[in-house]
Amino acid sequence: MLGIILILVLIWAGLVMLLWAGSVWFQGYIYSEPSPQLAWGAPVAGTVLAAFFALWCWIDYHSPGKYTDLFHFSPREDHPPFTELWAVKGTSTTRYTLTKDAQGRLDYRDGNGKPIPTHADRIITKEEGEEITFEPERDANGNYKMRTGRSLLYHDARGREMSEDNLGQISTFRWGVFLGAAFLNTFHLALWFVCLWLLVRFQWSHALGLAVIFWLVSTVLIVPTLLAKVETAAQSSHLAAGLAPRGASSTAKCFITKCA
């Protein structure tokens, strides 16, 4: 964490210098003279932006990989794989157990070592003692709905999905994650605009254009690099504490322990 704090301090210093020196030059070029407010406005704006990056790091440390930048976040959350499932094909229902293939990839096999058949009619799992059924997507005519470049999808009654090329691994659309990440990224843009307009004293139209530029540069270069280091630190902390990934169920923790 000390390295991340040092990076944040360097970001703060860089922002203050950029906002002060850059604004002195650019305002002197497009206006009659630079704003007299720059002497204190630029340091305050740099501090506000650096504090926001620090807050984002804190959020990402406690929820790694969820509330990331606009180009990397995913509103879907993958759950730990089920240790067993049942595939229904016609009138036959077969139990399959989670194993690993020769390359170390997770795979499901029945008692005779055979894989799950293609396009099963239903996939059944058990979650905390409750039987969950996943039905394949079908079109209006009742045929399997196949999308170009994607495998067949299965959905349960709660809207969770698993794909045929990754059976046993379900994902859930998390509205909270979607709205949280959207808010952080939108607030990031708005913060650049407010700082450039009210603190550094650009005209609002110039402040908006510069805010979009700085927001894009930060989103592409600064935020992903910073959050990647935060997530590495979070992962190391969890491993050092001997914990399974945050949010994993007790069944998943047991499975992780056995496979380690």
Side-chain angles (χ1 to χ4, degrees):
M1 289 301 296
L2 182 61
I4 296 173
I5 294 174
L6 178 59
I7 292 173
L8 287 170
V9 171
L10 292 175
I11 290 176
W12 169 78
L15 287 171
V16 171
M17 290 301 299
L18 172 67
L19 292 171
W20 178 76
S23 298
V24 167
W25 170 79
F26 196 49
Q27 288 184 358
Y29 179 75
I30 62 176
Y31 306 143
S32 58
E33 60 180 358
S35 170
Q37 187 173 307
L38 285 176
W40 64 268
V44 171
T47 302
V48 169
L49 288 164
F52 172 72
F53 288 137
L55 174 62
W56 204 340
C57 288
W58 182 85
I59 293 172
D60 193 52
Y61 182 83
H62 289 85
S63 300
K66 289 185 178 179
Y67 306 101
T68 59
D69 63 277
L70 182 66
F71 303 110
H72 293 91
F73 95 95
S74 173
R76 303 205 72 91
E77 180 182 12
D78 292 331
H79 295 255
F82 293 102
T83 56
E84 59 183 4
L85 51 81
W86 289 258
V88 179
K89 189 74 172 180
T91 58
S92 174
T93 301
T94 307
R95 176 177 175 269
Y96 296 84
T97 304
L98 181 61
T99 61
K100 288 186 177 181
D101 61 17
Q103 288 74 39
R105 295 172 300 189
L106 298 180
D107 190 20
Y108 287 90
R109 299 280 171 167
D110 65 10
N112 297 319
K114 295 182 179 180
I116 299 175
T118 303
H119 298 355
D121 297 330
R122 290 189 305 278
I123 298 294
I124 301 173
T125 66
K126 289 185 178 180
E127 190 174 45
E128 298 179 354
E130 179 185 0
E131 188 173 284
I132 309 295
T133 300
F134 286 81
E135 299 282 352
E137 282 191 331
R138 298 180 184 272
D139 58 22
N141 297 320
N143 300 317
Y144 292 122
K145 184 184 291 186
M146 305 299 297
R147 295 178 173 86
T148 303
R150 296 191 64 182
S151 61
L152 180 64
L153 295 178
Y154 290 78
H155 295 273
D156 70 354
R158 289 188 249 171
R160 299 180 299 178
E161 73 176 31
M162 67 170 69
S163 62
E164 190 168 42
D165 60 355
N166 201 16
L167 289 176
Q169 179 76 63
I170 64 174
S171 63
T172 306
F173 188 90
R174 301 298 298 272
W175 278 105
V177 173
F178 172 77
L179 294 175
F183 173 79
L184 282 173
N185 283 275
T186 303
F187 189 78
H188 181 200
L189 173 60
L191 200 60
W192 273 109
F193 171 65
V194 170
C195 288
L196 290 168
W197 180 32
L198 299 181
L199 295 176
V200 186
R201 302 304 296 173
F202 280 96
Q203 293 181 6
W204 75 266
S205 57
H206 296 153
L208 181 59
L210 290 171
V212 172
I213 294 173
F214 286 131
W215 173 76
L216 281 173
V217 172
S218 300
T219 300
V220 172
L221 299 179
I222 297 177
V223 175
T225 303
L226 184 60
L227 296 187
K229 293 184 178 297
V230 171
E231 289 164 18
T232 299
Q235 184 179 19
S236 299
S237 176
H238 293 152
L239 290 175
L243 299 176
R246 185 180 295 271
S249 64
S250 58
T251 302
K253 292 177 182 178
C254 293
F255 177 71
I256 291 171
T257 303
K258 291 177 181 178
C259 291

